[in-house]
Amino acid sequence: MASPGAGAAHRPGVAARIEAATPEGRDRGVDALRALAILGVVAGHWLVTAWERGPGGTVHITSPLVYLGALSPLSWVFQTLAVFFLVGGYAAARSLRSAGEGRGGGAAWARARLGRLLRPVGAPALVWTGIAVGMALHGMPGGTIRALLLPAVAPLWFLAVFAALNAATPLLLARPGTVAACAVVVVLCVDLLRFSQTGPEWLGWVNVAAGWLVPYTLGVRWANGALASRRTAAGLLAAGAAGAVLLVARFGYPVSMVGVTGAKVSNLSPPTLAAVCFGVAQVGAALLARGPLARLMRRPRLWAMVATANLGAMTIFLWHQTALLVTVMAALRFGDVPGLLGAPADPVWPLYRLAWFPVLALILCAAIAAATAVARLTRGHFNDMVSSSA
């Protein structure tokens, strides 16, 4: 009789099972780009979100870039939202085409797509509400509650824009290149009006849609078979990078590609022309990287990590700042904690925050596991209800 250990030795590992379950035509390069984009967003948020104490035991939000402005160029590495929108547009266009017009058309596809995007919001929303109520019951000032919760809730703006663009995908399929060019013109005109102080302040928020429409529609165009040549990709990278550098160096746009607490102008809230140019450069870089990444993804262990990250990409995005919030709340009773609480003015502060990354990652993994278990349980109860009613 074979021993249990011998049988276990012949069972394939997780990486091998994921490899075997992956369809032959799966575009692993695109999946790798999505995983890198979400990794950049998570790492960037964890590095630039900080809190410091104020008078009377209050807490307010800040950023290491307020004190360590020389680190602003690093935001060009971690601000990867354009890649996420690029891949989102590409995936949505391909999904819509594969769905076919005979099965309800674009409206049915959009409803199903939005359901998939918005379904994960429920669990973190309940957690955020519970945290807010708990802090209020403990007598925490409203300003402190807002400062602590705002970074955790802020990803919802991204989801709202991303969902709206997904819903508009059927309208973007015909002429995505024209839409992208028009969106760039809109961002330019809005910036001219904003910075010349001839337009109302709210006008800048038009760029929230127009700015992210650019990489998204470039993704749709990519799915249409365009942007395939390395020359085109290199041109987008060079033109976008040159535009971003020129706008920062000669026209006074902020160096940071992320928001900086207290700054009068942000490249991200709302997006500026500099952010759009930077996004175009990222699109070019992503197109160039797709092939090498696809070859790299032939390694089963690497592919297993990327595939797992892609399966939970939206869950990771929604919960990653909550992991930081929970860690900071646990540290509140201990006074200033290097890398968590206190003015991030020390040049070694980023190293302190990096030292907390394993803790944040562990809490994030626990949150994802719990959210996944709840989602499976909910689906199971729903299926049981459907079966019993039938």
Side-chain angles (χ1 to χ4, degrees):
M1 178 183 290
S3 68
H10 290 288
R11 286 199 293 268
V14 173
R17 293 199 298 272
I18 292 176
E19 178 70 28
T22 302
E24 186 62 32
R26 183 76 185 185
D27 196 329
R28 302 187 185 202
V30 172
D31 286 323
L33 286 173
R34 185 187 290 110
L36 286 174
I38 200 68
L39 177 64
V41 169
V42 171
H45 281 166
W46 282 355
L47 282 171
V48 302
T49 306
W51 291 269
E52 58 184 342
R53 296 182 185 275
T58 59
V59 174
H60 60 268
I61 193 167
T62 185
S63 167
L65 298 181
V66 173
Y67 299 93
L68 306 172
L71 298 179
S72 293
L74 289 177
S75 64
W76 292 46
V77 176
F78 293 104
Q79 203 280 77
T80 54
L81 282 173
V83 178
F84 205 101
F85 277 97
L86 169 75
V87 175
Y90 175 87
R94 286 175 61 92
S95 171
L96 179 57
R97 282 213 171 85
S98 65
E101 293 296 325
R103 285 186 276 174
W109 174 88
R111 285 194 298 270
R113 193 81 173 178
L114 291 179
R116 287 179 56 195
L117 285 174
L118 300 178
R119 195 175 298 119
V121 174
L126 287 174
V127 171
W128 298 332
T129 303
I131 291 174
V133 171
M135 289 191 292
L137 291 176
H138 280 79
M140 194 170 287
T144 296
I145 295 175
R146 181 181 180 277
L148 288 169
L149 276 175
L150 185 60
V153 178
L156 290 181
W157 77 260
F158 160 87
L159 182 58
V161 176
F162 191 72
L165 294 180
N166 268 259
T169 303
L171 304 176
L172 301 174
L173 276 180
R175 296 183 178 276
T178 302
V179 174
C182 291
V184 172
V185 173
V186 169
V187 174
L188 170 62
C189 293
V190 169
D191 275 11
L192 288 174
L193 291 172
R194 285 174 63 202
F195 300 140
S196 65
Q197 298 182 346
T198 57
E201 289 187 10
W202 60 262
L203 187 63
W205 296 102
V206 172
N207 283 356
V208 172
W212 298 119
L213 189 60
V214 175
Y216 188 88
T217 49
L218 289 176
V220 174
R221 192 159 186 257
W222 185 21
N224 285 353
L227 311 181
S229 71
R230 292 184 63 84
R231 178 177 296 181
T232 300
L236 289 172
L237 172 58
V245 171
L246 179 65
L247 289 168
V248 170
R250 296 294 300 274
F251 293 93
Y253 281 77
V255 175
S256 174
M257 287 297 162
V258 299
V260 179
T261 306
K264 292 183 178 180
V265 178
S266 167
N267 275 323
L268 205 56
S269 300
T272 63
L273 185 61
V276 171
C277 289
F278 177 66
V280 170
Q282 286 185 312
V283 168
L287 294 173
L288 291 172
R290 177 202 187 182
L293 285 172
R295 291 189 290 273
L296 197 61
M297 289 303 106
R298 289 299 169 184
R299 300 181 181 182
R301 290 184 180 179
L302 280 176
W303 170 241
M305 290 188 290
V306 166
T308 302
N310 272 271
L311 285 173
M314 194 56 66
T315 306
I316 292 170
F317 184 83
L318 287 171
W319 284 99
H320 73 281
Q321 287 288 69
T322 303
L324 178 57
L325 167 64
V326 169
T327 307
V328 169
M329 287 182 61
L332 282 174
R333 66 183 66 187
F334 300 108
D336 285 353
V337 179
L340 285 181
L341 278 169
D346 194 316
V348 300
W349 186 92
L351 298 180
Y352 289 133
R353 174 54 65 86
L354 285 171
W356 284 101
F357 270 32
V359 175
L360 302 179
L362 184 63
I363 296 174
L364 176 58
C365 289
I368 292 170
T372 302
V374 169
R376 287 176 179 170
L377 183 62
T378 303
R379 283 198 297 269
H381 284 317
F382 176 78
N383 292 335
D384 290 342
M385 290 169 62
V386 171
S387 299
S388 61
S389 63

